[in-house]
Amino acid sequence: MKIIDAQVIVTNPGRNFVTLKITTDEGITGLGDATLNGRELSVVSYLRDHVVPLLLGTDPHRIEDTWQYLYRGAYWRRGPVTMAAIAAVDVALWDIKAKVAGLPLYQLLGGASRDRVRTYGHANGATVPELFDSVRARLAEGYQAVRIQTGVPGLKTVYGVHQGTAIAEADGVAGAPRLDQHATPLVEDWDTRAYLRHMPTVFEAVRNEFGPELPLLHDAHHRLTPIEAARLGKSLEPYDLFWLEDCTPAENQDGLRLVREHTTTPLAIGEVFNTVFDYQTLVADQLIDYVRSAVTHFGGVSPLRKLFDFAAQHQIKSAIHGPEDISPVGMAAAIHLDLAIHNFGIQEYSGYTARTHEVFQHAFTFEDGHLHPGEAPGIGVELDEEMAAGHPYEQAYLPVNRLQDGTIHDW
Ligand code: KDG
Ligand code: MG
């Protein structure tokens, strides 16, 4: 079998998604997600201009060899653009291989290790009463674990707290919020001391309202220094978090050592990482509890599975990044992996707009807070190209963050 065509399709059924479609001489097609939020077109060019010419005429079954060729053969390794492009190829080739076998991808990854995949959803509110409403809405949708994000007194806009941007048309997960995307970057504001004072009061209120059982998560979104993160982790210990996510930017992996020494709150990290090398110290020294990379930003199913095996040796579990900016193609690949690996932890899932479900018809299902990849051969996603063309690309940026004196801060 040979690859005879590879197209890059950009569509915006609510937000921008980049999809690679590989076609073989036997008429079998495979899809891969290459969406890099806010920098989408750089991956489109990387694929169209530099990767597609290398794929034509090659054997789609040689997934590992193709991966190594694209990774090592570029000379310039790693980085989000490169690894999103390689991820799209890797997933599209797994899709083809599984379709040829007539099996859902998870069967080729060793078969199911569980019956279904536990997820967590996003609850948020500018105030605590609004947050409670949001938690109730997620529970009504079936979620059995909830991420908690709130406004901070004195700050206008804070990460994860969506102001009037809920997607009314979202189905399945009805209240799925639209992650802020703007034609020019929205400027949010930040005050670490106000945040550190506020968060324990929020979690105390949530525990009092919803009881001790509900798994609660929180994303600090890279904003704290290690000692600030240590303080937050310690102050949240009475509220028994499932995890504290991205508590500090982890370019300096050793920073997590300080956090770890001061708190027993479980730590999750890695959604901006793109190779196993970003995790080397974190995993080998057991400084974290969950690895958070997305199939889409980590080079695909092949390297992510290797990361999970490395993590398993250190009793660290998976928690694949699954925000709204991972397309249903990237999400489907994640769910197959979640079902197959032994050290599965939890899967993030925020749902999609109704239009997204129409453009990307998928076999995966969401029920009672759990996902299942379905039994369709391959990853189980088909792209309606005509419909996709009806929703063209729109330039969109993520927000940026400034301290109250105007200094740029991590978003
Ligand atoms: O594009 C950026 C988002 O993917 C990110 O902000 C979402 O932090 C995120 C999460 O945990 O889902
Ligand atoms: Mg996050």
Side-chain angles (χ1 to χ4, degrees):
M1 196 174 357
K2 285 200 179 339
I3 294 174
I4 56 162
D5 190 34
Q7 298 291 329
V8 185
I9 299 154
V10 186
T11 183
N12 186 331
R15 65 178 317 109
N16 294 313
F17 292 120
V18 178
T19 309
L20 176 70
K21 178 183 177 186
I22 295 180
T23 304
T24 71
D25 56 352
E26 295 181 14
I28 297 171
T29 58
L31 298 180
D33 179 25
T35 307
L36 186 62
N37 198 5
R39 296 291 186 271
E40 295 88 354
L41 298 186
S42 49
V43 193
V44 173
S45 163
Y46 194 104
L47 282 167
R48 273 191 192 140
D49 298 333
H50 305 292
V51 172
V52 168
L54 303 175
L55 297 177
L56 300 178
T58 63
D59 177 357
H61 280 306
R62 297 185 61 164
I63 301 176
E64 182 66 19
D65 184 57
T66 303
W67 194 97
Q68 298 295 344
Y69 182 84
L70 293 175
Y71 180 78
R72 292 169 200 281
Y75 185 66
W76 312 107
R77 296 182 189 187
R78 310 168 64 184
V81 175
T82 298
M83 300 313 288
I86 296 178
V89 176
D90 182 79
V91 171
L93 296 185
W94 275 112
D95 193 18
I96 290 170
K97 192 184 278 297
K99 282 180 180 171
V100 171
L103 293 170
L105 174 60
Y106 76 83
Q107 294 289 11
L108 272 58
L109 301 175
S113 284
R114 57 196 49 76
D115 300 331
R116 54 188 191 155
V117 168
R118 174 170 63 156
T119 69
Y120 69 91
H122 294 182
N124 60 80
T127 62
V128 168
E130 281 173 38
L131 171 67
F132 284 1
D133 288 346
S134 180
V135 173
R136 284 190 199 99
R138 296 295 87 77
L139 296 177
E141 289 157 7
Y143 281 108
Q144 295 172 24
V146 183
R147 188 186 84 163
I148 299 293
Q149 306 294 138
T150 56
V152 175
L155 298 186
K156 289 190 298 293
T157 39
V158 175
Y159 166 79
V161 181
H162 305 273
Q163 297 182 318
T165 50
I167 301 169
E169 64 185 315
D171 61 344
V173 183
R178 177 173 176 155
L179 186 78
D180 300 293
Q181 276 204 309
H182 305 270
T184 55
L186 175 78
V187 182
E188 296 185 351
D189 52 347
W190 186 250
D191 177 342
T192 299
R193 291 187 65 230
Y195 167 77
L196 291 178
R197 277 196 308 273
H198 188 54
M199 287 323 291
T201 69
V202 171
F203 276 93
E204 184 181 19
V206 173
R207 277 287 174 230
N208 287 341
E209 183 71 13
F210 295 97
E213 286 292 326
L214 182 65
L216 299 176
L217 303 85
H218 177 65
D219 191 347
H221 222 256
H222 323 272
R223 280 153 199 226
L224 308 175
T225 64
I227 198 67
E228 291 164 349
R231 187 171 145 208
L232 179 63
K234 208 169 177 178
S235 68
L236 295 180
E237 277 170 23
Y239 312 111
D240 185 24
L241 264 61
F242 186 93
W243 78 41
L244 172 61
E245 176 181 339
D246 286 339
C247 59
T248 189
E251 282 96 338
N252 173 13
Q253 297 184 38
D254 274 318
L256 266 293
R257 209 180 298 284
L258 196 147
V259 185
R260 193 64 152 179
E261 278 164 4
H262 286 90
T263 182
T264 55
T265 294
L267 302 173
I269 215 156
E271 67 184 44
V272 300
F273 294 175
N274 40 68
T275 71
V276 68
F277 300 105
D278 298 324
Y279 283 105
Q280 218 163 18
T281 305
L282 296 177
V283 171
D285 293 359
Q286 208 153 346
L287 302 183
I288 56 173
D289 301 281
Y290 296 90
V291 292
R292 287 272 298 137
S293 289
V295 171
T296 305
H297 302 137
F298 201 76
V301 165
S302 304
L304 197 51
R305 193 178 173 191
K306 293 175 193 172
L307 171 68
F308 291 151
D309 287 343
F310 174 39
Q313 294 171 35
H314 301 274
Q315 293 161 291
I316 295 170
K317 292 187 175 177
S318 77
I320 298 181
H321 189 214
E324 314 89 286
D325 46 291
I326 297 293
S327 89
V329 174
M331 180 59 66
I335 304 166
H336 284 278
L337 201 45
D338 290 332
L339 199 72
I341 58 171
H342 177 254
N343 56 329
F344 169 74
I346 199 163
Q347 172 67 53
E348 183 182 26
Y349 183 65
S350 329
Y352 294 103
T353 66
R355 262 178 292 155
T356 304
H357 289 291
E358 279 166 21
V359 171
F360 295 91
Q361 289 146 20
H362 54 81
F364 70 76
T365 50
F366 176 80
E367 204 186 330
D368 291 336
H370 290 75
L371 287 159
H372 191 280
E375 299 299 335
I379 60 168
V381 185
E382 294 303 325
L383 175 63
D384 185 326
E385 290 179 54
E386 213 174 298
M387 214 177 268
H391 306 301
Y393 169 79
E394 287 172 40
Q395 182 151 27
Y397 288 95
L398 282 165
V400 295
N401 207 14
R402 288 192 186 273
L403 302 181
Q404 288 179 325
D405 70 356
T407 309
I408 275 283
H409 193 64
D410 303 271
W411 181 73

